[in-house]
């Protein structure tokens, strides 16, 4: 390389092989120098796997859950099929083949996950294009199979009322009401603090959420700017929260100086002392926004019919959600079924209608 180009390349020479004649090698060398002069990086035999791992390590603005998901996409679905291929040789047909293998090999992944893997790869290759590492983004030429996402069937009003009636005697009943009637995510409800409640205006301000990052818990700001919001509360929900606070005051008095909401890391790994949480375990420690484990169905479980006429299973009698186990008949099934990413756990099709609040 000419001396003036060495800083652009990072080394004094570049190499390639496989030419039939010296003339062909010289012509290709001139083309390589021209690309360097135009700003194109010389990446040599940099592999797709090495590039993706380096790209992922530089994505400093990703939320921890997104970063973990990207790491899994790279490790499980892209490196096994594309990892050893030179980035400069990657083409649309290679990507198409890799995605089809990911959808069918080992533990197959669904079309939604395939689409997520593809979007991440396309973004990574766009970054390579911006850095002049490649001349074009080969993912642009890939066409994914069409699929229709399963529609979510929200609960009817009487079903929500039936659930809240059944859960009324649970110590976290106010949390369930807050989620069901005002659309809070589970993590937002777990992170809700009394300092964010304006009793005079009947408004709750959402500023943080408690979520699970891989196997660890953390306290982070809401994912989007719109997530930092003020929630107008109806008089019934406000009354439920104030009643819950009285019960929590009694629990705090019973525990005494040991009452502690705990410490969790923020998205940067820095410890945050949790204080004034609305919803805690009886000993004062924070609830967790995870789906429960160990839920089982009742031995005498029977079928019931929704207003639409379709038959749905009855709910479980055992449940566990953040605060231990209980035996409210309607809570376990609805809380244990989980929810699609980004949706409320109340937006489910399982459940039996009742004559509750509606």
């Amino acid at each position: 390389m000419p001396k003036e180009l060495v800083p652009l390349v990072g080394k004094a020479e570049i190499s390639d092989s496989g030419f039939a004649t010296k003339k062909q090698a010289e012509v290709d060398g001139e083309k390589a120098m021209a690309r360097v002069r135009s700003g194109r990086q010389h990446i040599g035999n940099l592999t797709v796997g090495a590039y993706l791992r380096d790209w992922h390590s530089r994505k400093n603005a990703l939320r921890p859950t997104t970063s973990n998901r990207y790491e899994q996409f790279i490790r499980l679905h892209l490196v096994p099929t594309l990892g050893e291929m030179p980035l400069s040789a990657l083409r649309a047909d290679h990507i198409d083949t890799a995605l089809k293998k990911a959808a069918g090999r080992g533990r197959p992944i669904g079309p939604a996950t395939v689409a997520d893997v593809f979007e991440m790869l396309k973004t990574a290759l766009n970054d390579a294009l911006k850095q002049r590492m490649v001349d074009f983004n080969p993912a642009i030429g890939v066409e994914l199979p069409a699929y229709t996402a399963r529609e979510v069937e929200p609960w009817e009003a009487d079903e929500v009322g039936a659930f809240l009636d059944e859960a009324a005697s649970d110590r976290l009943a106010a949390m369930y009401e807050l989620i069901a009637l005002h659309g809070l995510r589970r993590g937002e409800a777990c992170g809700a603090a009394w300092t964010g409640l304006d009793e005079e205006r009947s408004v709750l301000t959402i500023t943080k959420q408690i979520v699970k990052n891989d196997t660890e818990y953390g306290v982070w700001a809401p994912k989007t700017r719109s997530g930092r919001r003020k929630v107008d509360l109806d008089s019934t929900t406000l009354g439920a929260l104030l009643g819950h606070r009285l019960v929590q005051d009694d629990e705090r008095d019973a525990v005494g100086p040991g009452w502690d909401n705990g410490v969790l890391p923020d998205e940067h790994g820095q410890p945050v002392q949790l204080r004034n949480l609305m919803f805690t375990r009886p000993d004062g420690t924070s609830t967790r926004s995870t789906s429960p484990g160990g839920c089982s169905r009742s031995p005498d479980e029977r079928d019931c019919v929704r207003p639409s006429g379709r038959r749905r299973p009855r709910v479980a009698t055992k449940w566990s959600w953040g605060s231990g186990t209980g035996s409210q008949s309607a809570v376990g099934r609805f809380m244990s079924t989980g929810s699609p990413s980004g949706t409320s756990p109340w937006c489910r099709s399982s459940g039996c209608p009742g004559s509750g609040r509606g």
Side-chain angles (χ1 to χ4, degrees):
M1 296 300 296
K3 290 183 179 180
E4 68 272 17
L5 297 184
V6 171
L8 296 177
V9 182
K11 51 187 176 181
E13 61 180 36
I14 59 177
S15 62
D16 204 347
S17 61
F19 304 103
T21 65
K22 179 180 178 181
K23 182 63 176 177
Q24 290 179 1
E26 290 174 346
V27 170
D28 192 77
E30 290 297 328
K31 290 181 179 179
M33 289 186 196
R35 289 194 293 268
V36 172
R37 290 183 189 277
S38 68
R40 166 81 181 275
Q41 291 190 47
H42 181 76
I43 60 175
N45 290 322
L46 176 68
T47 64
V48 174
Y51 169 71
L52 289 176
R53 284 188 286 264
D54 178 67
W55 170 82
H56 177 254
S57 70
R58 292 183 282 105
K59 299 299 288 183
N60 300 317
L62 293 178
R63 294 178 69 87
T65 48
T66 303
S67 180
N68 286 342
R69 188 163 171 79
Y70 280 6
E71 186 277 330
Q72 291 176 355
F73 288 168
I74 293 170
R75 173 171 49 86
L76 298 178
H77 307 308
L78 295 175
V79 167
T81 52
L82 299 174
E84 298 304 317
M85 176 171 290
L87 179 61
S88 59
L90 186 63
R91 297 293 181 267
D93 60 311
H94 302 144
I95 297 174
D96 182 71
T97 300
L99 294 177
K100 288 177 179 176
K101 287 183 178 180
R105 66 178 182 81
R107 183 180 179 183
I109 59 177
T113 303
V114 169
D116 289 343
V117 172
F118 172 69
E119 288 300 324
M120 187 216 70
L121 177 61
K122 186 164 67 172
T123 298
L125 294 175
N126 271 336
D127 288 349
L129 183 61
K130 293 175 184 177
Q131 297 175 44
R132 305 298 300 276
M133 300 177 73
V134 294
D135 290 327
F136 65 96
N137 185 343
I140 294 175
V142 177
E143 182 176 328
L144 296 182
Y147 80 96
T148 302
R150 184 177 61 183
E151 291 188 12
V152 175
E153 185 180 354
W155 282 3
E156 301 292 342
D158 58 349
E159 293 177 300
V160 175
F163 172 82
L164 294 178
D165 283 346
E166 290 285 351
S169 61
D170 185 77
R171 61 179 300 276
L172 293 180
M175 173 192 274
Y176 305 148
E177 190 161 324
L178 192 61
I179 295 175
L181 301 183
H182 296 280
L184 268 69
R185 295 178 175 87
R186 287 175 294 178
E188 293 172 343
C190 290
W194 292 115
T195 50
L197 178 64
D198 185 336
E199 299 176 37
E200 298 292 330
R201 297 167 55 203
S202 193
V203 170
L204 176 64
T205 301
I206 303 299
T207 59
K208 61 180 179 292
Q209 57 181 341
I210 294 177
V211 294
K212 190 176 184 181
N213 173 29
D214 197 12
T215 59
E216 303 294 330
Y217 294 96
V219 53
W220 308 333
K223 187 173 183 178
T224 62
R225 181 174 297 180
S226 61
R228 303 175 185 90
R229 65 196 186 281
K230 295 182 183 296
V231 179
D232 293 320
L233 304 175
D234 64 277
S235 58
T236 301
T237 303
L238 178 62
L241 290 176
L242 297 180
H244 171 73
R245 184 161 64 182
L246 294 176
V247 174
Q248 190 183 70
D249 288 343
D250 291 339
E251 293 175 341
R252 184 186 294 107
D253 292 341
V255 173
W259 182 275
D260 186 1
N261 293 168
V263 177
L264 289 175
D266 62 14
E267 52 261 60
H268 307 295
Q270 300 301 312
V272 175
Q273 176 65 55
L274 301 174
R275 293 185 175 88
N276 298 314
L277 292 180
M278 284 184 168
F279 305 108
T280 64
R281 295 187 174 97
D283 62 357
T285 55
S286 64
T287 56
R288 308 301 198 199
S289 60
T290 61
S291 295
C295 294
S296 61
R297 295 183 177 183
S298 170
D300 61 347
E301 185 172 81
R302 296 180 299 275
D303 284 348
C304 63
V305 181
R306 298 192 74 208
S308 61
R310 282 173 288 179
R311 302 185 73 79
R312 299 293 185 189
R314 286 195 59 159
V315 297
T317 56
K318 296 182 180 179
W319 59 276
S320 171
W321 192 66
S323 60
T325 57
S327 59
Q328 297 300 320
S329 63
V331 177
R333 172 71 174 171
F334 296 143
M335 295 307 298
S336 68
T337 51
S339 63
S341 177
T343 64
S344 167
W346 312 99
C347 210
R348 302 292 299 180
S349 59
S350 299
C352 298
S355 58
R357 297 176 222 194

